[in-house]
Amino acid sequence: MKTVNWAILGLGDIASSFATSFKAPNATLYAAGSRSLEKAKAFTEKHQIENAYGNYDDLLKDPAIDIVYIATPHSHHYDLIMKSLQAGKHVLCEKAITMNGTQLKAAMDLAAEKHLILSEAMTIYHMPLYHKLKELVDGGTIGKLKMLQVSFGSLKETDPTNRFYNKALAGGALFDIGTYALSFTRFFLNSQPNEILTTMNLFETGVDEQSGIILKNKDNEMAVVSLTFRAKMPKRGIIACEDGYITVDDYPRATSATLTRPDGKTELIEAGNSGEALNYEATALTDWILANKKDPFLPLSYDVLTIMDTVRERWGLHYDFE
């Protein structure tokens, strides 16, 4: 069987985690690229990767590379996705995959034209627990889905220069942690929300520091999403159905959930390993490449971005480089 050759673009912390956990069958980490050859060589030596590139263009010219994992700040995702697709490479890109739905639609069209896979590295779509929970909810044994409650609070140091608050790097809670909360939400909703209510607080740099978002779809399913960079809150998702609710703590890489029945009886549901979260992504993409399949979750990524587009429009939050 063919071996799928992977390359990494952007060599920060998440790239290091990806390389450390990488052990996808029928695949190898073949190359890594940075805008600094010295940094690329240090990274490849640390992770025992064969090829180092000091610029992205040279890496993308390597005909041996099948797929690139883009791990740069999300403000640079779109340009690198389009360059990678034009170079004939499949793409796995960190969240948020692009800055808006218009960008993602253009990338999806190019991927389809080139017969390439484009995918967002959203752990929620790949953790085994979520496929087990989705089967349970869709199976109807706990009644119809009615309500989702999703929170994520991450207390960030109020330094205007760091990436979390830096508008030039698309900072703000929505793009950093909100993408997880909204991906959790859209994964379980049976249709795209068509009603959106929202409000937020603005940080001094012009990005959102916290927000509340209420969603409703044509199926009368609702979701309430709470986000903040200014206070610690549980990363908790609650999936409320007519005959029971499911609580998922630490949901970005969750491996367990609790089903609570109306009579108070509980059931523990377990699947997967949080330490394998990034490797689940790499394995899925490798399998799709070998089987010539598309990413089944990319439409969800598009839906999430269009929700974020509407939310930011209501807030009046735009970035100069969009």
Side-chain angles (χ1 to χ4, degrees):
M1 181 175 285
K2 171 183 167 60
T3 296
V4 175
N5 286 334
W6 282 75
I8 301 176
L9 292 180
L11 305 181
D13 291 343
I14 190 65
S16 186
S17 296
F18 184 85
T20 299
S21 66
F22 188 96
K23 54 178 185 290
N26 306 309
T28 185
L29 268 181
Y30 170 87
S34 171
R35 285 178 290 189
S36 160
L37 183 58
E38 182 180 359
K39 185 175 182 179
K41 285 182 175 179
F43 187 94
T44 54
E45 288 174 8
K46 177 181 177 181
H47 296 288
Q48 298 179 315
I49 299 171
E50 183 179 354
N51 299 286
Y53 287 92
N55 67 76
Y56 300 146
D57 289 340
D58 285 349
L59 183 149
L60 292 173
K61 290 175 185 176
D62 188 333
I65 294 170
D66 299 300
I67 178 168
V68 295
Y69 167 60
I70 297 174
T72 62
H74 45 259
S75 51
H76 301 298
H77 286 176
Y78 178 66
D79 287 344
L80 286 173
I81 288 171
M82 298 303 276
K83 283 184 177 182
S84 299
L85 293 172
Q86 289 285 8
K89 314 302 183 188
H90 302 285
V91 174
L92 173 65
C93 183
E94 264 305 323
K95 57 85 187 170
I97 186 169
T98 59
M99 289 297 301
N100 54 56
T102 300
Q103 288 182 346
L104 182 53
K105 180 63 167 61
M108 291 168 71
D109 289 346
L110 181 58
E113 177 189 327
K114 298 284 188 178
H115 304 289
L116 295 166
I117 296 170
L118 172 63
S119 183
E120 182 177 34
M122 173 50 65
T123 52
I124 287 166
Y125 299 154
H126 297 281
M127 296 299 295
L129 177 70
Y130 284 104
H131 300 284
K132 201 170 183 178
L133 296 181
K134 180 68 171 168
E135 184 177 343
L136 173 62
V137 172
D138 289 351
T141 59
I142 57 173
K144 291 182 179 179
L145 174 66
K146 302 302 292 183
M147 173 71 76
L148 296 160
Q149 292 182 350
V150 193
S151 63
F152 198 140
S154 182
L155 183 58
K156 304 298 185 186
E157 181 183 353
T158 54
D159 177 359
T161 65
N162 72 30
R163 71 175 181 86
F164 300 112
Y165 295 109
N166 189 333
K167 195 171 184 182
L169 295 177
L174 183 66
F175 272 106
D176 190 75
I177 58 178
T179 183
Y180 284 115
L182 290 171
S183 295
F184 179 100
T185 300
R186 186 62 189 91
F187 187 81
F188 289 103
L189 289 176
N190 284 299
S191 60
Q192 174 75 337
N194 55 4
E195 295 183 37
I196 299 176
L197 299 173
T198 184
T199 188
M200 68 98 168
N201 288 342
L202 201 67
F203 189 67
E204 63 187 70
T205 57
V207 302
D208 57 300
E209 66 173 29
Q210 62 183 22
S211 63
I213 304 168
I214 300 175
L215 306 170
K216 181 181 176 182
N217 63 15
K218 63 181 178 59
D219 301 296
N220 289 323
E221 299 162 349
M222 296 183 67
V224 178
V225 177
S226 305
L227 308 170
T228 182
F229 267 174
R230 301 303 300 278
K232 197 72 175 172
M233 287 196 303
K235 303 179 188 74
R236 178 172 296 153
I238 297 175
I239 308 153
C241 299
E242 292 171 323
D243 298 317
Y245 66 88
I246 301 165
T247 304
V248 189
D249 285 318
D250 295 321
Y251 60 81
R253 300 186 182 187
T255 59
S256 66
T258 302
L259 169 62
T260 303
R261 300 285 185 174
D263 61 5
K265 292 182 179 178
T266 62
E267 175 187 340
L268 183 64
I269 303 166
E270 296 179 295
N273 180 339
S274 60
E276 292 292 309
L278 302 183
N279 192 55
Y280 290 139
E281 296 172 348
T283 299
L285 267 291
T286 298
D287 290 345
W288 295 339
I289 290 169
L290 294 174
N292 195 28
K293 291 183 178 179
K294 294 181 180 179
D295 175 6
F297 307 114
L298 191 59
L300 297 184
S301 295
Y302 178 76
D303 283 356
V304 167
L305 274 172
T306 58
I307 293 170
M308 293 167 71
D309 286 347
T310 300
V311 165
R312 288 199 295 125
E313 183 180 359
R314 303 275 170 85
W315 294 346
L317 176 57
H318 302 281
Y319 298 92
D320 291 341
F321 49 82
E322 289 187 83

